[in-house]
């Protein structure tokens, strides 16, 4: 088990390296310099600025500096907000995005797992058709459609929930629903499919042949095996939730990291866009590592290999 | 009579209509007796025994009668249509089963020990420690070396033959009156097949457990069973003592099966 | 659009040519939800292709005498107009052209990359396979949507980059699936038989591997198209996708969100078109999968 964890940990290194190198090369392959504004800049000021951002050094030296800074978790200064470091912006924005994303994922799991199980157990009955039709609809309605529609229904036509901003828990209801619905649909479908597959496997017949109660058969034999695909979905799921939070924060005016990201992208704030991409990249890679190790722990066959 | 099956019928409702898998099968097993059910795949032999145990999927409709001696003062239990609770107290305790593929019949996510003790604790109501001791004793009885340590192993860490031994040890651990073995050697190497059959025979002698052996291979039946039932297309073609079936087969189908046995 | 699906469907039938292909087709035809989706999708596609020629309005002309007109048959603006008086019907159809085109072209890009990559990895096997799949794993764990945005930010916003960027990241699933399927096919006895009969690798891939991949590839194509349409809408919604005066459903929804409280139809109508299209694709994809692999239902 320890060897397995260490092996996975070592596997992260090339991924991180590729992430860092790819982003670095992208920045330097990009046409134009971030210093190119609407008006031409006096040569002297330009030289000063280039020196300040080390743009005048050879590429390999810049790469070394870049790696060194990231190793120290220092993403540099924002081009746009002159006095604010990217680190500060991440420190302000990420907790907010984490709360919205975390609750959304939790919402998807807490509702989706039981729903998928019910659909599987009642396969080809009314409950199954309702759950499957509903989840197919859920997958087909993007968060940037669901969000505005919810604002119309719950904030404009009725004054039930605040349309945006951050305050009490009421502010989280619509963003979490808008972001979580699609993953709820995914989790439901995944859970249904895997439960049906496990229920068909011979070892479940063995468990029944042993005279165990249906409860024990389900909790001890079916559930752990059926949950495995959902566990492996957590990695890409978390990445997708972080991505989705970019839109949802935009719709509901939530001051999270995703909103900074879009503003930075629209304003071509190179360092901020790069910093957030790197930060999310590292977060997602580390999260995948945790999920991998968790999976290996849950499925004895994986670690054994 | 330990088990008396009368006019057993199994139908499956599918998208394309009703499929009759078993059509009026009758046979009986006496206490401690070994009976073989022989037939090609699709002859309804597996469906028949799964029907007895109430293990068929929801789209199966079972009718007929199957009476199992209760093993106490009470009269025989009717298995067909019995309440789920009743069936569960029979399964694993009075009637145990082992299946074709030990690779998939054991739960890959649970340790051998967990799978063995949950059965013992369910039916014998023993403590965790007694269950573990019994499990070790059973593993030793099927000649698994280092039985104590094997309890901590997962199924994928054992060989195919070893897994089937674990299945046998588990099935017999509650001292059932009847062991149903559904193609127990088909998925195994030829060299291991005989060992498994020997192990079953040996343990049966000690415990006087009756055996219902389902196979497509008349050769397997010859060495194990006193009586044989031959099935084809969901019905019984003929039944009798194994000697009778081998020396004076009545049905043409039985003669075909006999002709198919390789001779050395 | 639908034509593509139909063509693939026929290709699949022709490729397998046996009762399995015909069975799958019959099962799909019996699936009312999937056939209904196919009809709706066909109608939307047809409208998007020929609609702009028939419409009296174009999608970019402003008309300050007719701003914020609610949808009505009487004034000729069936879907209403926006804040500068552009006809929403014309804009929805024009946007649909872009959304569907991005969906199909990009899926084709990912199809070509994914199938060749997966088939090579699966067929060659061994160390090459391990290395190639490791690369896919690495790409898989990168936050690709952020990467696409990064690309768009650095290299400017244009449609071609959008095709390339989304296509470059959406082939991963296809590569994995195709590789798995190829591995499974490779170990089939009839491949061994073909090899013994002296068939070369190219011939084996063309005659045996590719036809057997057709089914799973068709399913994944129908499931990738809605995904790609969704990506494009997502980027356009953020203002990072197609640029004015061109538009797409995502861009229309973005425009409409700003005017939501005054003119809700501006967000409702493109939303319905986008959601219904995605829904139909997903239904067809599900239907195809069930038809090819009936054990699940």
């Amino acid at each position: 088990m320890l060897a397995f964890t260490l092996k996975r940990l070592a596997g992260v290194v090339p991924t991180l390296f590729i992430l860092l190198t790819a982003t670095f090369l992208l920045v330097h392959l990009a046409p134009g310099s971030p210093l190119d504004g609407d008006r031409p800049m006096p040569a002297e000021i330009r030289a000063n600025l280039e020196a300040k951002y080390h743009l005048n050094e050879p590429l390999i030296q810049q790469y070394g500096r870049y790696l060194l800074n990231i190793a120290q978790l220092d993403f540099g200064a924002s081009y746009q907000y002159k006095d604010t470091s990217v680190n500060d912006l991440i420190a302000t924005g990420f907790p907010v995005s984490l709360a919205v994303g975390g609750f959304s994922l939790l919402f998807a799991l807490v509702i989706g797992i039981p729903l998928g199980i019910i659909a599987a157990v009642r396969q080809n009955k009314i409950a199954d058709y309702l759950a499957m039709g509903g989840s197919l609809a859920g997958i087909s309605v993007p968060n940037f459609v669901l969000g505005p529609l919810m604002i119309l229904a719950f904030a404009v036509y009725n004054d039930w929930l605040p349309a945006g901003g951050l305050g009490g828990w009421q502010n989280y209801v619509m963003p979490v629903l808008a972001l979580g619905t699609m993953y709820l649909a995914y989790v439901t479908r995944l859970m249904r499919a895997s439960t049906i597959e496990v229920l068909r496997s011979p070892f479940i017949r063995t468990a029944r042949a042993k005279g165990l109660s249906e409860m024990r058969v389900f909790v001890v034999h079916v559930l752990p095996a059926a949950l495995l695909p959902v566990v492996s979905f957590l990695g890409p799921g978390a990445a997708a939730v972080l991505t989705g939070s970019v839109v949802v924060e935009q719709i509901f005016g939530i001051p999270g990291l995703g909103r900074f990201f879009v503003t930075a992208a629209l304003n071509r704030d190179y360092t901020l866009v790069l910093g957030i991409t790197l930060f999310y990249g590292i977060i997602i890679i580390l999260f995948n590592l945790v999920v991998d190790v968790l999976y290996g722990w849950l499925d004895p066959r994986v670690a054994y290999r | 009579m330990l088990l008396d099956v009368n006019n057993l019928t199994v139908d499956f409702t599918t998208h394309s209509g009703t499929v009759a898998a078993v059509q009026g099968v009758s046979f009986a097993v006496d206490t401690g007796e070994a009976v073989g059910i022989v037939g090609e795949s699709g002859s309804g032999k597996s469906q028949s025994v799964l029907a007895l145990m109430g293990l068929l999927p929801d789209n199966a409709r079972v009718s007929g009668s199957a009476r199992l001696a209760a093993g106490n003062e009470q009269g025989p239990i009717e298995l067909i249509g019995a309440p789920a609770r009743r069936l569960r107290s029979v399964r694993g305790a009075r009637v145990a089963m082992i299946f074709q593929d030990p690779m998939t019949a054991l739960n890959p996510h649970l340790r051998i020990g967990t799978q063995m003790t949950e059965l013992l604790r369910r039916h014998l109501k023993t403590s965790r420690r007694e269950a573990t001791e019994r499990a070790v004793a059973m593993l030793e009885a099927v000649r698994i070396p280092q039985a104590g340590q094997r309890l901590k192993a997962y199924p994928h860490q054992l060989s195919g033959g070893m897994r089937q031994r674990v299945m046998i040890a588990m099935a017999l651990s509650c001292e059932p009156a009847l062991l149903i073995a559904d193609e127990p050697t088909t998925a195994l190497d030829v060299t291991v097949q005989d060992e498994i059959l020997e192990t079953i025979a040996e343990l049966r002698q000690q415990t006087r457990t009756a055996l219902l052996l389902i196979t497509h291979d008349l050769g397997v039946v010859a060495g194990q069973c006193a009586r044989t039932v031959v099935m084809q297309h969901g019905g019984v073609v003929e039944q009798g003592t194994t000697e009778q079936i081998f020396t004076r087969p009545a049905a043409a189908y039985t003669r075909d099966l006999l002709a198919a046995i390789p001779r050395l | 659009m639908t034509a593509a699906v139909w063509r693939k469907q026929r290709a699949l039938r022709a490729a397998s040519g046996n009762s399995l292909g015909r069975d799958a087709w019959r099962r799909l035809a019996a699936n009312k939800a999937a056939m209904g989706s196919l009809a709706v999708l066909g109608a939307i596609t047809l409208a998007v292709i020929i609609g702009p020629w028939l419409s009296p309005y174009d999608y970019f002309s402003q008309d300050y005498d007719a701003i914020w007109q609610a949808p009505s048959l009487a004034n000729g603006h069936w879907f209403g107009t926006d804040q500068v008086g552009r006809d929403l019907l014309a804009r929805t159809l024009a946007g649909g052209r872009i959304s569907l085109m991005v969906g199909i072209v990009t899926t084709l890009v990912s199809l070509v990359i994914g199938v060749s990559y997966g088939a090579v990895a699966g067929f060659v096997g061994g160390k090459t396979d391990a290395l190639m799949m490791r690369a896919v794993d690495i790409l898989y764990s990168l936050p690709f949507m952020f990467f696409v945005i990064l690309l768009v930010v650095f290299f400017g916003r244009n449609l071609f980059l959008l095709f390339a960027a989304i296509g470059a990241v959406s082939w991963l699933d296809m590569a994995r699936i195709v590789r798995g399927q190829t591995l499974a096919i490779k170990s089939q006895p009839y491949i061994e038989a073909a090899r013994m009969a002296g068939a070369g690798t190219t011939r084996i891939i063309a005659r045996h591997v590719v036809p057997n991949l057709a089914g799973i590839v068709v399913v994944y194509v129908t499931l990738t198209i809605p995904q790609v349409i969704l990506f494009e809408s997502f980027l356009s919604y953020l203002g990072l996708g197609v640029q004015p005066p061109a538009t797409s459903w995502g861009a229309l929804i973005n425009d409409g969100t700003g005017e939501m409280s005054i003119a809700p139809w501006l967000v409702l109508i493109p939303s319905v078109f986008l959601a219904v299209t995605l829904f139909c694709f997903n239904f067809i994809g599900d239907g195809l999968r069930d038809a090819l692999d009936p054990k699940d239902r």
Side-chain angles (χ1 to χ4, degrees):
Chain A
M1 196 63 230
L2 182 70
F4 170 72
T5 309
L6 287 176
K7 215 173 112 189
R8 285 300 156 111
L9 202 59
V12 165
V13 174
T15 316
L16 273 176
F17 178 75
I18 284 175
L19 173 73
L20 296 177
T21 311
T23 45
F24 178 79
L25 286 178
L26 261 182
V27 174
H28 287 272
L29 281 175
S33 151
L35 302 181
D36 293 340
D38 298 332
R39 278 168 299 163
M41 201 181 276
E44 200 179 325
I45 296 177
R46 191 185 180 90
N48 279 341
L49 279 174
E50 278 186 350
K52 182 182 170 196
Y53 293 115
H54 305 288
L55 294 175
N56 52 353
E57 291 172 357
L59 206 60
I60 186 77
Q61 202 173 335
Q62 288 190 41
Y63 183 56
R65 183 185 302 283
Y66 172 78
L67 286 187
L68 202 68
N69 286 341
I70 288 166
Q72 296 164 352
L73 288 178
D74 177 5
F75 298 111
S78 160
Y79 280 119
Q80 198 193 1
Y81 310 99
K82 296 282 182 248
D83 302 323
T84 324
S85 72
V86 173
N87 286 46
D88 288 341
L89 288 170
I90 290 176
T92 336
F94 185 57
V96 177
S97 300
L98 190 64
V100 175
F103 283 130
S104 302
L105 209 51
L106 202 66
F107 161 75
L109 293 175
V110 166
I111 314 252
I113 291 174
L115 207 58
I117 293 173
I118 292 170
V121 173
R122 315 279 311 156
Q123 198 191 352
N124 291 339
K125 307 237 168 74
I126 301 282
D128 181 26
Y129 287 134
L130 282 180
M132 281 305 95
S135 66
L136 209 56
I139 284 175
S140 309
V141 180
N143 43 29
F144 53 86
V145 168
L146 199 56
L149 294 188
M150 281 200 292
I151 294 181
L152 263 185
F154 303 131
V156 178
Y157 294 145
N158 298 291
D159 194 18
W160 293 342
L161 289 165
L166 270 192
W169 61 269
Q170 297 95 330
N171 292 79
Y172 282 97
V173 175
M174 283 201 284
V176 165
L177 286 179
L179 187 51
T181 300
M182 190 175 279
Y183 308 109
L184 165 64
Y186 269 120
V187 170
T188 307
R189 288 163 64 86
L190 209 54
M191 193 64 202
R192 173 184 180 271
S194 71
T195 306
I196 288 176
E197 201 181 319
V198 173
L199 280 173
R200 279 203 199 110
S201 51
F203 68 83
I204 296 302
R205 192 177 56 188
T206 308
R208 292 222 170 94
K210 280 152 77 170
L212 304 176
S213 69
E214 278 302 305
M215 193 62 174
R216 177 152 181 118
V217 170
F218 196 82
V219 173
V220 177
H221 291 270
V222 178
L223 206 53
L227 277 174
L228 285 175
V230 176
V231 170
S232 52
F233 168 73
L234 281 182
V241 164
L242 283 182
T243 314
S245 76
V246 170
V247 165
V248 168
E249 287 170 21
Q250 198 75 4
I251 298 171
F252 294 97
I254 297 167
L257 200 49
R259 195 134 179 262
F260 292 154
F261 185 71
V262 176
T263 319
L266 290 170
N267 292 323
R268 305 192 63 160
D269 184 342
Y270 280 34
T271 40
L272 189 51
V273 170
L274 186 62
I276 295 176
T277 304
L278 280 175
F279 177 72
Y280 273 163
I282 293 168
I283 294 272
I284 288 166
I285 289 170
L286 292 182
F287 192 79
N288 270 311
L289 173 72
V290 173
V291 169
D292 261 8
V293 171
L294 184 69
Y295 193 99
W297 184 65
L298 286 173
D299 189 347
R301 288 169 300 180
V302 174
Y304 181 75
R305 254 188 246 127
Chain B
M1 200 55 64
L2 175 65
L3 174 71
D4 195 356
V5 178
N6 258 304
N7 203 18
L8 182 72
T9 303
V10 180
D11 294 322
F12 287 98
T13 323
T14 67
H15 290 297
S16 41
T18 309
V19 178
V22 179
Q23 301 160 37
V25 165
S26 305
F27 62 88
V29 181
D30 216 341
T31 310
E33 188 191 24
V35 176
I37 302 187
V38 191
E40 61 202 3
S41 55
S43 60
K45 53 196 195 313
S46 288
Q47 310 304 341
S48 306
V49 291
L50 288 174
L52 302 181
M53 300 284 279
L55 289 175
L56 287 171
D58 289 342
N59 65 341
R61 239 190 26 246
V62 182
S63 63
S65 149
R67 287 158 181 280
L68 178 76
N72 49 27
E73 268 80 85
Q74 287 158 11
I77 308 165
E78 173 58 60
L79 295 177
I80 308 300
R85 205 185 167 75
R86 188 95 198 242
L87 275 177
R88 279 200 298 271
S89 67
V90 169
R91 288 184 210 146
R94 280 294 281 170
V95 184
M97 256 191 111
I98 56 180
F99 298 99
Q100 176 171 350
D101 190 354
M103 180 83 139
T104 52
L106 286 167
N107 188 333
H109 304 282
L110 295 179
R111 294 175 198 278
I112 302 294
T114 313
Q115 303 192 46
M116 291 189 73
T117 51
E118 70 174 353
L119 174 68
L120 289 160
R121 285 165 60 86
R122 157 82 175 89
H123 292 295
L124 303 184
K125 310 276 185 263
T126 57
S127 72
R128 194 175 293 264
R129 231 191 60 210
E130 285 168 327
T132 308
E133 280 165 12
R134 172 92 182 135
V136 172
M138 285 310 295
L139 288 183
E140 277 164 355
V142 296
R143 289 200 228 102
I144 286 184
Q146 296 155 322
Q149 285 161 38
R150 295 291 181 192
L151 287 183
K152 293 199 190 71
Y154 288 99
H156 63 84
Q157 292 166 313
L158 305 179
S159 68
M162 202 92 106
R163 281 187 214 127
Q164 196 61 299
R165 283 169 194 278
V166 170
M167 279 299 287
I168 295 167
M170 184 159 75
L172 295 177
S173 63
C174 291
E175 299 185 339
L178 174 65
L179 174 68
I180 300 177
D182 187 356
E183 303 269 7
T185 57
T186 309
L188 301 175
D189 285 349
V190 185
T191 47
V192 187
Q193 288 183 1
D194 285 345
E195 289 173 32
I196 293 293
L197 291 173
E198 261 170 48
T199 308
I200 295 177
E202 201 176 305
L203 283 176
R204 274 189 54 236
Q205 262 183 351
Q206 296 165 15
T207 54
R208 281 194 41 80
T209 304
L211 173 69
L212 193 53
L213 178 65
I214 293 145
T215 176
H216 63 278
D217 186 353
L218 262 178
V220 169
V221 169
Q224 302 294 321
C225 304
R227 286 196 309 115
T228 300
V229 180
V230 181
M231 278 184 73
Q232 188 191 19
H233 303 319
V236 173
V237 175
E238 70 171 302
Q239 53 181 315
T241 64
T242 305
E243 197 200 337
Q244 202 177 352
I245 296 280
F246 269 74
T247 52
R248 294 181 306 274
Y253 178 67
T254 314
R255 284 193 289 272
D256 290 345
L257 279 182
L258 283 169
I261 300 177
R263 276 167 225 282
L264 292 178
Chain C
M1 164 69 281
T2 336
V5 174
W6 278 86
R7 224 173 21 247
K8 293 222 177 69
Q9 195 45 247
R10 276 209 301 275
L12 168 68
R13 272 201 297 165
S16 23
N18 52 23
S19 61
L20 190 74
R22 271 193 295 279
D23 273 358
W25 180 236
R26 200 177 311 127
R27 274 192 294 268
L28 185 70
N31 184 337
K32 289 190 188 73
M35 294 319 280
S37 301
L38 207 57
V40 172
L41 209 51
I44 291 179
T45 311
L46 207 64
V48 157
I49 292 172
I50 62 170
W53 288 330
L54 304 178
S55 166
Y57 304 99
D58 59 46
Y59 68 93
F60 49 83
S61 291
Q62 308 182 350
D63 177 1
Y64 284 92
D65 293 330
I67 61 166
W68 282 326
Q69 300 267 317
S72 90
L73 291 178
N75 62 13
H77 294 293
W78 293 358
F79 286 3
T81 61
D82 67 5
Q83 69 278 15
V84 291
R86 291 175 294 194
D87 180 61
L88 187 61
L89 176 57
R91 289 179 69 68
T92 304
L93 295 178
R97 271 189 175 181
I98 303 260
S99 289
L100 288 181
M101 195 172 75
V102 171
I104 293 159
V105 173
T106 310
T107 301
L108 288 181
V109 173
S110 80
L111 176 76
V112 170
I113 305 178
V115 170
S116 20
Y117 194 96
V120 168
F123 203 80
V124 175
K127 281 218 170 68
T128 319
D129 175 38
L131 204 68
M132 286 173 86
M133 282 302 118
R134 181 82 194 107
V136 168
D137 283 345
I138 288 177
L139 290 175
Y140 222 78
S141 57
L142 294 178
F144 57 85
M145 191 45 98
F146 291 89
F147 252 93
V148 172
I149 295 179
L150 202 67
L151 277 173
V152 171
V153 169
F154 287 150
F155 295 95
R157 303 161 201 168
N158 69 57
L159 211 52
F160 178 74
L161 181 72
L162 215 58
F163 287 145
I166 304 178
V169 292
S170 50
W171 59 274
L172 297 173
D173 273 326
M174 187 71 85
R176 277 188 170 174
I177 300 282
V178 167
R179 177 219 172 227
Q181 194 74 3
T182 308
L183 275 181
I185 294 168
K186 200 173 69 168
S187 61
Q188 295 291 318
Y190 63 80
I191 297 288
E192 197 58 35
R195 210 191 283 282
M196 302 250 266
T201 303
T202 327
R203 190 181 157 78
I204 291 177
I205 291 183
R207 292 276 302 172
H208 297 284
V209 179
V210 172
N212 280 295
L213 284 174
I216 194 101
V217 167
V218 171
V219 171
Y220 266 79
V221 163
T222 36
L223 294 174
T224 305
I225 294 174
Q227 244 182 325
V228 172
I229 293 178
L230 192 60
F231 287 165
E232 185 278 325
S233 316
F234 173 92
L235 286 176
S236 291
Y237 179 83
L238 293 175
L240 296 165
V242 299
Q243 294 300 306
T247 192
S248 78
W249 286 336
L252 284 174
I253 295 168
N254 185 24
D255 295 345
T257 309
E259 317 293 328
M260 195 160 64
S261 45
I262 310 164
W265 62 88
L266 289 178
V267 65
L268 283 175
I269 290 173
S271 294
V272 166
F273 270 82
L274 177 62
V276 166
T277 303
L278 297 177
F279 193 71
C280 288
F281 270 116
N282 285 328
F283 242 126
I284 295 169
D286 264 23
L288 271 173
R289 186 168 40 199
D290 292 346
L292 288 164
D293 184 12
K295 81 168 160 48
D296 234 22
R297 267 281 166 193

